[in-house]
């Protein structure tokens, strides 16, 4: 109803508003040396489309009312000038920026990263394309303040300042990705870096536009699947790359065409590769297992998946050429040089169309993703399948993934019954998006924009050729912005709606089916006071989570792989099942989340500013945090949500006194972005009340005996972790500075530091290691070479039962050359990752010891533009 009202209002305004006389404004964009700046973006606020300057820096754009002209180009400082239909020929000068400067689409106010009150990092252009990895986490992890969860290289999500999962929102063109990557670390996100024009990382709370779930930050993937500029003729690009470490081939293509304002877009990516190699490392074994439980991801995994792994998992490693390591005595540490079951076989494409007029822009797109990928360390020791086997199905060095595509059971029929079997994920997603933008002839409303999306997502985990567990998520989302000017204030008011139907069925469905619905209104305003830009914002969000589920021991059994032959009702011999039968619960959590922010940017000198941003954010727990009650194989634990209470060996659902998580965050940023020396330094302090985290309860779980105190030890027992809430503090800094020695040589230094602990003094789990890096770049005409070294420091600020992660240094190099062939512009590149073949473990990973970082890798690629 709200959407229809807005569209009706826009159309009515278009018909009945007074038509101002349009005029064509012409101008030129120059640099500080009075040389033309080609391909600069010229945008009139209120309109979705923009124009580009030609090779002589000239442009022409229609102006029908007094408005602000925004001129931008990557690595130049933005310029804004007031224009009207009567404005004469304009000349705009752009000063070069010594800090990478890119307009941030997620800002909603046409700001670049060096103009925003809150810290933002952007990857774009060839730098993004050359460094793109299969996952967002691996693509972004070298940015200061950004790390990766790392559940293997094909399932790795971004961590922003130590926060991930439901606290980091992953969006595509401003709409939620709507996958299941926020539910579990083994669930890959569905955004591919190669299809992106740029990736934006908003550090700190970004809840005003993107919802209460963005209490830690936002990663926004920007692409052109719905073209918003006029495309003339035909244009496109194609790319091929090969990674030697995992023998992965990647092919990407882009095609766009347009005529008389009607546009068409297509992009597609295919990626196929095998298990990745590492430097020689010791596999966790029985000698490490005895109740040495790590805080979700270290030695607790060793206990609950790797004594079986020692007995059965190394034929799999031997299969890949490591027989020399399989001759050691049982009980001794065994070694591997490859992480098994880390293949990927992925295909995805997006098609879109749009009409771009002077005032009206409308468009529609459809995207499809089909991906199979291995889930490392995903062992099912609680299955009772008998003898060990050779895991022939994982000989992915030979890229035999057609078996997966054909849904073949043969690859898993080699499992003649094993206590541990590798599992792979099959992800399918259909995603529809629509966009409507109307620029009004009005002195105070600049534009009305509506973006809507529908996503149908399915993640199935396959074992023995059959589906073990399926996670689904159907999401409908609507975002409406009204951009306006009220006197000296410029801003947006908006409405945001989201409706998500999540379900999990099968052996590992540790969370119940849930519907989550939000309605939110927000406002973001800015005003310039001399050298100071003030920014104010607020959001009110109605949040409703509802679920109908079974609570009790029968529910436990439901998650305990009944289909594999367990006597799921063996609890009865304990004598306590009869009086505690399962019950059906119809539960709803309905709350109002309020967020607000105030920020200012002070341009105290030419090319230098300081930004201060204070925000207060609230969020309610999501399904996994609130209603988990089951076995979570990815973390080798039994998980309980905030709504449960353990009494003796019984679990009761008692969701009273569920309080919102509240974050008070202060950011202070210092920036210098002019001249040969530039830097960005961010200091942050985040005080979080009722921080949701998981704690080891001291109980153990088995399918036969249910939940018992740890002193009742049974083989294969898993620790019980429960979500709790407590006050926490996260604070630190991140910096990025570089010096342009001359036109050919540049050096750069970057790093971050984070400290995260509960008010009790305990450290939070899986906090990433601090890093310090440096790089040197050399450019000579069309040739570029860069050498970088990143040192990840020892992490010994440990949560309950965590183990120390030693430091390591990654040395990387990249080379690229631009050339033309038969009229086609080409870029050839070579990236060498981990040149020294350093062994490194990721402290933030749930499977730290089983999946070290990849060893030396050569990536060879070529990209062409037409």
């Amino acid at each position: 109803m709200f959407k229809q009202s807005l569209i009706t209002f826009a159309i009515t305004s278009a018909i009945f508003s007074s038509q101002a006389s349009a005029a064509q404004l012409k101008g030129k964009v120059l640099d500080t040396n009075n040389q033309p700046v080609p391909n600069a973006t010229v945008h009139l606020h209120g309109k979705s489309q923009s124009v580009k300057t030609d090779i002589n820096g000239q442009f022409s754009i229609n102006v029908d009312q007094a408005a602000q002209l925004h001129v931008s180009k990557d690595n130049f400082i933005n310029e804004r000038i007031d224009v009207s239909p009567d404005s004469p020929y304009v000349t705009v000068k752009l000063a070069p920026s010594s800090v990478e400067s890119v307009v941030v689409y997620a800002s909603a106010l046409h700001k670049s990263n060096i103009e925003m009150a809150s810290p933002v990092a952007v990857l774009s252009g060839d730098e993004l394309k050359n460094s793109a990895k299969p996952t967002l986490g691996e693509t972004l992890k070298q940015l200061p303040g950004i790390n990766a969860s790392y559940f293997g290289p094909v399932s790795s999500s971004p961590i922003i300042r130590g926060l991930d999962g439901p606290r980091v929102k992953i969006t595509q063109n401003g709409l939620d990705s709507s996958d299941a990557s926020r539910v579990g670390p083994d669930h890959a996100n569905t955004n591919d870096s190669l299809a992106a024009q740029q990736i934006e990382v908003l550090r700190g709370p970004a809840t005003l536009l993107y919802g209460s779930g963005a209490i830690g930050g936002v990663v926004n993937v920007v692409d052109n699947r719905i073209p918003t500029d006029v495309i003339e003729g035909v244009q496109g690009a194609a790319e091929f790359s090969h990674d030697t470490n995992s023998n992965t081939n990647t092919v990407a293509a882009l095609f766009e065409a347009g005529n008389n304002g009607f546009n068409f877009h297509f992009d597609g990516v295919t990626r196929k590769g095998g298990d990745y190699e590492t430097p020689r490392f010791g596999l966790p074994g029985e000698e490490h297992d005895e109740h040495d439980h790590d805080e979700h991801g270290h030695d607790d995994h060793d206990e609950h998946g790797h004594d079986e792994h020692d007995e059965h998992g190394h034929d799999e490693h031997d299969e890949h050429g490591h027989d020399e390591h399989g001759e050691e005595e049982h009980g001794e540490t065994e070694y591997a040089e490859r992480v098994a079951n880390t293949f990927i076989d992925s295909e995805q494409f997006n098609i879109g169309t749009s009409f771009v007029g002077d005032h009206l822009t409308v468009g529609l797109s459809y995207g499809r993703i089909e991906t199979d990928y291995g889930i490392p360390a995903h062992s099912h020791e609680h299955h009772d399948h008998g003898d060990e086997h050779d895991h022939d199905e994982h000989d992915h060095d030979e890229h035999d993934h057609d078996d997966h595509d054909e849904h073949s059971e043969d690859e898993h029929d080699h499992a003649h019954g094993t206590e541990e079997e590798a599992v792979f994920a099959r992800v399918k997603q259909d995603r529809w998006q629509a966009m409507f933008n109307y620029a009004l002839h009005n002195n105070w409303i600049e534009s009305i924009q509506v973006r809507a999306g529908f996503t149908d997502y399915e993640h199935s985990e396959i074992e023995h050729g059959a589906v073990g567990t399926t996670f689904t998520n159907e999401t409908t989302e609507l975002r409406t912005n009204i951009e306006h000017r009220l006197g000296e204030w410029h801003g947006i008011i908006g409405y945001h709606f989201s409706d998500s139907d999540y379900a999990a069925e099968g052996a590992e469905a540790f969370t119940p089916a849930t519907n989550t619905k939000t309605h939110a209104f927000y406002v973001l305003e800015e005003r310039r006071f001399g050298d100071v830009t003030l920014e104010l914002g607020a959001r009110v969000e109605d949040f409703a989570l509802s679920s109908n589920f079974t609570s009790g021991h029968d529910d436990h059994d439901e998650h305990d792989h009944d289909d594999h032959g367990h006597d799921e009702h063996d609890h009865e011999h304990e004598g306590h099942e009869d009086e505690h039968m399962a019950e059906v619960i119809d539960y709803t959590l309905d709350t109002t989340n309020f967020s607000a922010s105030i920020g200012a940017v002070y341009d105290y000198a030419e090319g230098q500013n300081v930004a201060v941003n204070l925000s207060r954010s609230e969020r309610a727990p999501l399904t996994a945090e609130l209603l988990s009650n089951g076995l979570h194989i990815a973390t080798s634990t039994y998980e309980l949500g905030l709504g449960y209470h353990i009494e003796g060996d019984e679990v009761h659902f008692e969701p009273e006194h569920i309080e919102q998580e509240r974050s008070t965050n202060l950011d202070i940023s210092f920036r210098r972005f002019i001249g040969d020396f530039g830097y960005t330094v961010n200091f942050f302090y985040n005080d979080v009340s009722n921080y949701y985290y998981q704690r080891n309860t001291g109980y153990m779980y088995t399918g036969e005996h249910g939940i018992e105190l740890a002193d009742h030890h049974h083989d294969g027992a898993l620790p019980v972790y429960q979500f709790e809430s407590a006050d926490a503090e996260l604070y630190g800094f991140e910096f990025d500075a570089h010096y342009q020695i001359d036109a050919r040589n540049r050096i750069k230094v970057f790093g971050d530091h984070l400290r995260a602990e509960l008010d009790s003094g305990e450290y939070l789990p899986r906090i990433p290691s601090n890093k310090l890096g440096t790089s040197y770049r050399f450019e000579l005409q069309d040739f570029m070479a860069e050498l970088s070294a990143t040192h990840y420091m020892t992490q010994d600020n440990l949560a309950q039962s965590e183990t120390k992660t030693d430091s390591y240094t990654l040395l990387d190099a990249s080379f690229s050359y631009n050339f033309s062939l038969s009229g086609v512009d080409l870029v050839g590149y070579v990236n060498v990752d981990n040149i020294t073949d350093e062994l490194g473990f990721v402290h933030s990973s749930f499977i730290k010891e089983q999946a070290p970082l990849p060893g030396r890798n050569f990536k060879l690629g070529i990209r062409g533009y037409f």
Side-chain angles (χ1 to χ4, degrees):
M1 182 65 68
F2 187 85
K3 176 182 176 183
Q4 293 175 345
S5 299
L6 283 173
I7 295 175
T8 301
F9 174 71
I11 295 173
T12 303
S13 300
I15 295 174
F16 295 105
S17 59
S18 58
Q19 300 292 315
S21 58
Q24 199 167 59
L25 176 67
K26 295 185 178 182
K28 176 181 282 191
V29 180
L30 304 173
D31 63 18
T32 52
N33 295 320
N34 289 320
Q35 296 300 307
V37 179
N39 209 39
T41 300
V42 181
H43 172 244
L44 197 69
H45 283 188
K47 297 187 178 182
S48 63
Q49 74 271 28
S50 57
V51 298
K52 299 287 187 180
T53 56
D54 62 19
I55 193 171
N56 298 313
Q58 296 181 339
F59 69 89
S60 177
I61 190 169
N62 288 333
V63 177
D64 44 42
Q65 63 177 19
Q68 189 173 77
L69 193 70
H70 180 198
V71 183
S72 63
K73 183 174 173 62
D74 292 359
N75 300 318
F76 283 83
I77 300 173
N78 291 355
E79 284 292 335
R80 293 175 174 83
I81 58 174
D82 293 327
V83 295
S84 71
D86 299 325
S87 295
Y89 187 91
V90 297
T91 299
V92 182
K93 283 197 173 183
L94 296 182
S97 170
S98 60
V99 171
E100 289 84 354
S101 173
V102 183
V103 174
V104 179
Y105 292 89
S107 71
L109 295 177
H110 322 292
K111 290 178 174 289
S112 73
N113 53 306
I114 60 177
E115 298 174 310
M116 292 186 64
S118 56
V120 181
V122 181
L123 272 181
S124 62
D126 282 343
E127 181 182 9
L128 169 60
K129 296 293 189 292
N130 293 351
S131 62
K133 300 290 194 301
T135 66
L136 286 179
E138 294 304 289
T139 299
L140 300 172
K141 70 178 184 180
Q142 287 192 337
L143 295 175
I146 314 301
N147 290 275
S149 59
Y150 200 74
F151 208 92
V154 294
S155 180
S156 182
S157 294
I159 298 174
I160 302 178
R161 294 175 173 177
L163 301 176
D164 64 345
R167 296 183 180 89
V168 173
K169 182 79 75 175
I170 310 293
T171 64
Q172 184 269 322
N173 291 334
L175 297 178
D176 198 306
S177 294
S178 304
D179 51 38
S181 62
R182 310 294 87 196
V183 176
D186 58 329
H187 295 179
N189 56 63
T190 54
N191 300 95
D192 196 286
S193 304
L194 281 175
Q197 290 181 320
Q198 67 187 47
I199 301 176
E200 307 162 347
V201 182
L202 281 66
R203 301 181 180 94
T207 61
L208 298 179
L209 297 179
Y210 298 101
S212 59
I215 203 167
V218 168
V219 177
N220 185 41
V221 179
V222 180
D223 61 31
N224 199 40
R225 66 180 64 186
I226 299 180
T228 56
D229 290 333
V230 174
I231 299 174
E232 297 292 349
V234 175
Q235 62 190 37
E239 178 175 4
F240 171 80
S241 67
H242 175 76
D243 288 82
T244 61
N245 181 288
S246 57
N247 204 20
T248 297
N249 292 320
T250 303
V251 179
L254 167 71
F255 176 82
E256 294 180 329
N259 184 40
N260 292 327
F262 290 93
N263 306 308
F264 172 79
H265 169 94
F266 167 84
D267 69 72
V269 178
T270 66
R271 181 181 284 109
K272 191 170 186 178
D275 299 344
Y276 74 92
E277 297 177 346
T278 71
R280 189 171 185 259
F281 71 101
L283 289 158
E286 292 184 20
E287 64 272 21
H288 305 297
D289 292 343
E290 290 301 323
H291 301 287
D292 188 13
H293 303 305
D294 177 83
E295 184 78 20
H296 265 262
H298 303 295
D299 289 340
D300 60 322
H301 291 289
D302 301 340
E303 175 187 0
H304 306 297
H306 302 296
D307 36 19
E308 289 81 4
H309 187 76
D310 290 338
E311 294 175 12
H312 306 294
H314 300 299
D315 288 342
E316 181 178 24
H317 293 287
D318 297 344
E319 176 187 2
H320 295 293
H322 304 295
D323 293 313
E324 69 274 14
H325 303 304
E327 298 175 357
E328 304 183 43
E329 295 291 333
H330 177 74
E332 295 182 4
T333 300
E334 298 194 40
Y335 295 90
E337 295 177 2
R338 180 185 302 272
V339 177
N341 199 34
T342 53
F343 75 91
I344 186 170
D345 190 350
S346 176
E347 296 181 356
Q348 58 180 286
F349 70 88
N350 300 294
I351 57 174
T353 185
S354 68
F355 170 76
V356 179
D358 192 35
H359 291 274
L360 177 67
T361 299
V362 292
L364 181 69
S365 71
Y366 168 73
R368 173 71 174 176
I369 296 173
E370 293 186 5
T371 298
D372 288 357
Y373 67 90
I375 305 176
H378 199 290
S379 50
H380 288 227
E381 75 285 346
H382 49 284
H383 288 204
D384 186 15
H385 296 304
D387 300 332
E388 60 183 276
H389 69 293
D390 289 334
H391 289 269
D392 294 341
E393 71 275 16
H394 297 294
D395 190 8
H396 297 293
D397 291 340
E398 301 185 12
H399 307 288
D400 193 16
H401 302 308
D402 290 337
D403 293 336
H404 298 300
D405 296 337
E406 299 298 323
H407 298 259
S408 171
E409 299 184 11
D410 293 339
E411 61 193 19
H412 294 290
D413 286 343
H414 292 288
H416 306 295
T418 180
E419 291 183 324
E420 179 196 13
E421 62 190 45
V423 177
F424 74 92
R426 172 164 290 143
V427 174
K428 298 179 181 180
Q429 179 175 282
D430 295 292
R431 185 175 177 87
W432 294 88
Q433 286 190 358
M435 193 269 284
F436 168 93
N437 190 92
Y438 183 73
L440 279 77
H441 293 288
N442 194 290
N443 291 329
W444 63 280
I445 296 181
E446 292 188 336
S447 68
I448 297 175
Q449 184 182 93
V450 179
R451 280 192 177 270
F454 174 76
T455 303
D456 185 0
Y457 168 89
E458 180 181 290
H459 170 113
S460 298
E461 296 186 356
I462 315 295
E463 54 179 303
H464 280 297
V467 175
T469 306
T470 297
F471 302 85
T472 61
N473 191 18
E474 289 189 0
T475 300
T476 303
E477 187 174 11
L478 171 71
R479 182 185 301 280
T480 302
N481 289 337
I482 300 176
E483 185 176 357
H484 60 269
R485 285 191 174 275
L486 300 175
E488 297 296 320
W489 290 90
H490 172 227
I492 59 171
I493 58 174
Y495 166 74
H496 184 200
F497 168 77
S498 177
D499 186 353
S500 175
D501 283 311
Y502 164 83
E505 296 182 0
E508 297 174 21
F510 63 98
T511 54
T514 309
N515 175 264
T516 305
K517 188 175 294 185
T518 62
H519 297 267
F521 291 91
Y522 53 86
V523 59
L524 184 63
E525 304 288 338
E526 67 170 2
R527 180 178 175 179
R528 184 83 174 177
F529 295 90
D531 293 329
V532 177
T533 301
L534 179 66
E535 186 177 294
L536 305 174
R539 177 187 179 99
V540 178
E541 175 183 277
D542 178 67
F543 176 94
L545 180 152
S546 59
S547 181
N548 185 284
F549 60 96
T550 302
S551 176
H553 288 287
D554 288 349
D555 186 48
H556 298 169
D557 301 333
E558 184 180 329
H559 299 299
D560 189 38
H561 301 259
D562 303 341
D563 52 341
H564 297 286
H566 284 299
D567 291 330
E568 64 272 21
H569 297 293
D570 280 350
H571 300 278
E572 295 178 3
H573 78 277
E574 299 290 339
H576 57 262
E577 284 299 335
D578 292 334
E579 57 266 19
H580 184 67
M581 300 300 292
E583 59 177 324
V584 176
I585 295 176
D586 188 5
Y587 176 74
T588 299
L589 175 65
D590 195 343
T591 186
T592 300
N593 300 315
F594 177 76
S595 302
S597 70
I598 178 171
V601 179
Y602 174 40
D603 298 307
Y604 61 89
E606 183 182 5
Q608 299 180 68
N609 66 32
V610 57
V612 179
N613 193 66
L614 178 65
S615 61
R616 172 76 168 176
S617 306
E618 296 179 341
R619 80 174 185 98
L622 298 186
T623 305
E625 297 165 310
L626 180 62
L627 301 177
S628 293
N629 183 10
L631 194 63
H632 193 179
I633 298 300
T635 59
S636 292
T637 58
Y638 190 97
E639 294 192 3
L640 285 175
L642 288 160
Y644 287 90
H645 177 67
I646 303 177
E647 290 183 4
D649 56 358
E650 294 183 352
V651 176
H652 302 279
F653 185 67
E654 299 176 359
E656 292 81 11
H657 310 299
I658 301 296
E659 297 189 54
Q660 294 155 302
E661 187 177 86
R662 296 180 175 89
S663 167
T664 302
N665 187 85
L666 175 66
D667 275 295
I668 303 176
S669 301
F670 297 90
R671 308 178 182 121
R672 176 186 171 92
F673 43 89
I674 197 168
D676 294 329
F677 175 61
Y679 58 80
T680 299
V681 182
N682 305 317
F683 297 90
F684 63 92
Y685 175 78
N686 195 357
D687 185 9
V688 186
S689 301
N690 305 316
Y691 182 90
Y692 307 141
Y693 72 105
Q694 288 176 298
R695 177 184 290 277
N696 192 332
T697 62
Y699 285 83
M700 304 295 290
Y701 172 83
T702 60
E704 182 180 1
H705 300 92
I707 293 177
E708 296 181 317
L709 286 171
D711 54 5
H712 294 85
H713 177 64
H714 301 282
D715 291 340
L718 300 182
V720 177
Y721 278 79
Q722 182 168 19
F723 279 95
E724 296 184 2
S725 62
D727 295 345
E729 292 181 333
L730 299 92
Y731 54 91
F733 62 87
E734 57 227 3
F735 68 93
D736 185 332
H738 65 257
Y739 178 63
Q740 192 74 37
I741 301 172
D742 55 35
R744 298 179 179 177
N745 300 276
R746 188 200 72 179
I747 57 174
K748 183 176 181 179
V749 180
F750 57 92
D752 56 42
H753 172 80
L754 170 66
R755 191 177 182 90
E757 56 190 6
L758 299 172
D759 280 3
S760 63
E762 298 178 64
Y763 293 108
L764 290 175
R766 296 183 309 283
I767 294 302
S769 304
N770 299 323
K771 62 176 178 279
L772 177 65
T774 184
S775 68
Y776 164 72
R777 173 178 289 190
F778 173 78
E779 296 183 73
L780 178 61
Q781 295 179 339
D782 294 320
F783 175 76
M784 187 278 293
E786 184 166 359
L787 179 68
S788 65
T790 307
H791 179 69
Y792 292 83
M793 303 177 189
T794 299
Q795 179 57 284
D796 53 11
N797 293 335
L798 306 176
Q800 178 189 17
S801 302
E802 277 188 332
T803 57
K804 183 179 75 171
T805 302
D806 291 332
S807 63
Y808 56 94
T809 301
L810 299 181
L811 188 65
D812 305 319
S814 63
F815 309 90
S816 67
Y817 182 70
N818 298 297
F819 61 101
S820 295
L821 185 65
S822 300
V824 178
D825 294 328
L826 298 167
V827 180
Y829 62 92
V830 177
N831 295 342
V832 189
D833 300 325
N834 196 1
I835 295 173
T836 60
D837 208 31
E838 178 91 350
L839 179 62
F841 295 91
V842 181
H843 189 78
S844 52
S845 173
F846 280 83
I847 53 172
K848 179 179 74 171
E849 278 116 354
Q850 299 109 292
L853 290 169
R856 185 183 301 111
N857 176 57
F858 292 86
K859 180 180 181 180
L860 301 88
I862 187 166
R863 184 181 312 114
Y865 301 91
F866 61 89

